[in-house]
Amino acid sequence: MRRVYLDNNATTPVLPEVLEAMRPYFGEHFGNASSIHHHGQETRAAVERARESVAALLGCPASEVVFTSGGTEADNLAVFGVARAADHVITSTIEHHAVLNACKHLERKGCEITYVPVDGRGLVDPADVKRALRPNTKLITVMFANNETGVVQAVAEIGRIAAEADVYFHTDAVQAAGKIPVDVNQILCDLLTVSGHKLHGPQGVGALYVRKGTEIEAMLHGGRHERSRRAGTENVPGVVGLGKAAELAMAGFERGDDQKMAAARDRLERELLSIEATGLNGADSNGECAPRVPNTTNIYFDGIDGEALVIALDLKGLAVSTGAACSSGAIEPSHVLTAMGLRSDRAKASIRFSLGKQNTAEDVAFALGLIPETVARLRELSPMWPSSRPKSVVSVSQPEARS
Ligand code: PLP
């Protein structure tokens, strides 16, 4: 059975070049990067080469890159490493749970948190961030690109506000790095998160950019690894894989891969939006879309249950996802889509399509060959879809006009 994977915001396949770069570090190059003998020097050199590659992707000195076990750890290190009880932190309502739940934990420990809202397109207004500043504000943490919608925030503007107020600025760039250019000096951030498995590197490795002079307290205590900012023997194969993925991402920008990907995403989106009672999450009432990373689109299909559509498509070989999460046994609508003002049923009827470097025009055609008929079949069976109801109750759940 042919399988097409359009869920690259969940994780990306490791590119063959990345796997090749990692392979020796599972075998002959096994040394502990802290050992002073030949074996250790070999792996230390590989770790430092990878650090240079990640630094080049972010536009920073290698000394400002701290390797972690992934995006979640890097987000937690940024939040817990900087903020203390009695500090005030500003974040947004649409952050990934790696930031949101870290902030909620800080709140329980006595920190004050302001959750800045987003508009219907999923955008934080930098003026709201500015207005939320208080004398005890220590940290602003607003994500670069959203994992569900791909919407890109005005991070450079928020960075300027933070710099003027002398407040630390962290941005979770897990869904931006490798997809669009990321430059820490343009954003003026003090802290920035990257995850290996979202840019065709391996799972279980990530990095936190920490600007020189940032007072950050380590979360893990042990040896003096990563200049005492993150204790623990380095995951050498993972770090090497992340470094290679960063190099490949940069080469991709030079070739214009991002533009090709945007064109494939736009074709998918255009054709899916021609299905009746669908709409783009992240567009305003004129259909004007917020700035987005090139690989993501998030579309609602009124009258269906998103989970049912994901399962039906998976049975036919297409992998996509909903933003919905299962919480205490119930399917909750996505916190991102509801923060953007979507009704709960529409948020639950939304599907995220996210492309990766491995996807081809044939993959998009395969998806387009399946989705319209599957949506039509599910709608026929759906009590939420007007045609399956007696005329007298049709108006109750009439799908809204596409926006
Ligand atoms: N931040 C964002 C925006 C993400 O999309 C993810 C993963 O989905 C994370 C953080 C967590 O990264 P990791 O899976 O490497 O822990």
Side-chain angles (χ1 to χ4, degrees):
M1 176 178 172
R2 176 162 185 200
R3 289 206 175 267
V4 168
Y5 183 79
L6 295 185
D7 196 18
N8 290 273
N9 285 9
T11 197
T12 51
V14 168
L15 288 173
E17 299 94 315
V18 171
L19 185 60
E20 274 320 299
M22 292 171 70
R23 205 187 293 277
Y25 297 92
F26 289 111
E28 66 265 33
H29 301 324
F30 59 85
N32 182 324
S34 299
S35 300
I36 57 172
H37 48 59
H38 163 81
H39 302 277
Q41 282 177 25
E42 218 167 43
T43 47
R44 167 59 51 204
V47 167
E48 297 314 318
R49 272 197 304 275
R51 202 184 304 279
E52 294 282 353
S53 302
V54 174
L57 184 71
L58 306 179
C60 67
S63 57
E64 295 180 347
V65 173
V66 178
F67 288 119
T68 66
S69 66
T72 300
E73 187 193 325
D75 281 344
N76 275 252
L77 178 55
V79 172
F80 295 126
V82 164
R84 306 273 166 278
D87 285 338
H88 173 237
V89 175
I90 301 170
T91 189
S92 83
T93 49
I94 56 151
E95 298 299 306
H96 188 272
H97 284 113
V99 167
L100 222 40
N101 286 343
C103 287
K104 286 194 179 141
H105 187 76
L106 274 183
E107 215 167 6
R108 289 193 292 274
K109 298 269 178 198
C111 244
E112 296 172 295
I113 314 280
T114 300
Y115 299 91
V116 173
V118 292
D119 65 13
R121 296 193 297 160
L123 282 171
V124 169
D125 182 349
D128 285 342
V129 174
K130 192 167 182 174
R131 266 193 294 275
L133 285 166
R134 296 183 196 168
N136 64 335
T137 306
K138 187 71 176 286
L139 174 71
I140 297 170
T141 172
V142 173
M143 72 198 314
F144 200 135
N146 185 268
N147 41 303
E148 293 187 31
T149 59
V151 168
V152 171
Q153 300 298 331
V155 279
E157 223 173 312
I158 297 171
R160 214 178 43 244
I161 290 166
E164 279 165 12
D166 200 17
V167 165
Y168 286 134
F169 177 40
H170 166 247
T171 187
D172 175 343
V174 164
Q175 297 288 349
K179 295 176 185 166
I180 51 173
V182 170
D183 179 340
V184 295
N185 290 318
Q186 202 228 330
I187 306 162
L188 286 183
C189 59
D190 304 287
L191 300 146
L192 180 143
T193 297
V194 174
S195 171
H197 72 113
K198 309 291 180 164
L199 66 151
H200 296 278
Q203 297 172 351
V205 66
L208 182 66
Y209 157 74
V210 182
R211 187 178 291 278
K212 190 172 177 214
T214 305
E215 284 173 22
I216 187 161
E217 195 178 306
M219 279 198 309
L220 300 181
H221 300 278
R224 296 219 203 108
H225 308 87
E226 299 298 295
R227 297 174 177 231
S228 297
R229 293 168 296 191
R230 198 273 184 188
T233 300
E234 292 87 347
N235 163 11
V236 178
V239 162
V240 167
L242 172 55
K244 188 69 188 176
E247 282 169 30
L248 294 171
M250 296 218 3
F253 290 139
E254 273 158 33
R255 280 194 306 266
D257 287 2
D258 45 337
Q259 280 143 37
K260 277 186 222 135
M261 190 175 284
R265 184 270 315 270
D266 291 348
R267 176 177 172 225
L268 177 71
E269 182 173 282
R270 209 169 35 246
E271 299 215 11
L272 293 180
L273 291 176
S274 69
I275 301 173
E276 72 171 314
T278 59
L280 179 61
N281 296 320
D284 63 16
S285 51
N286 300 321
E288 194 80 20
C289 198
R292 284 178 300 168
V293 286
N295 79 318
T296 310
T297 183
N298 192 309
I299 292 175
Y300 64 80
F301 298 85
D302 276 338
I304 59 140
D305 172 44
E307 291 281 311
L309 182 54
V310 168
I311 293 165
L313 291 173
D314 187 46
L315 289 171
K316 296 176 180 176
L318 180 65
V320 295
S321 75
T322 62
C326 185
S327 136
S328 359
I331 301 291
E332 297 287 338
S334 142
H335 72 283
V336 174
L337 298 181
T338 48
M340 288 163 62
L342 261 79
R343 306 186 312 242
S344 166
D345 62 323
R346 187 166 268 182
K348 286 186 187 174
S350 294
I351 299 287
R352 174 183 73 185
F353 303 88
S354 51
L355 278 68
K357 284 182 187 289
Q358 79 288 4
N359 289 128
T360 60
E362 290 74 44
D363 291 348
V364 170
F366 178 80
L368 288 171
L370 289 181
I371 298 167
E373 63 173 38
T374 312
V375 168
R377 190 173 53 80
L378 289 178
R379 280 177 172 168
E380 266 168 35
L381 302 170
S382 168
M384 297 180 287
W385 187 245
S387 64
S388 62
R389 293 190 160 199
K391 283 271 178 290
S392 59
V393 293
V394 161
S395 60
V396 177
S397 63
Q398 193 81 39
E400 286 177 9
R402 180 141 56 81
S403 57

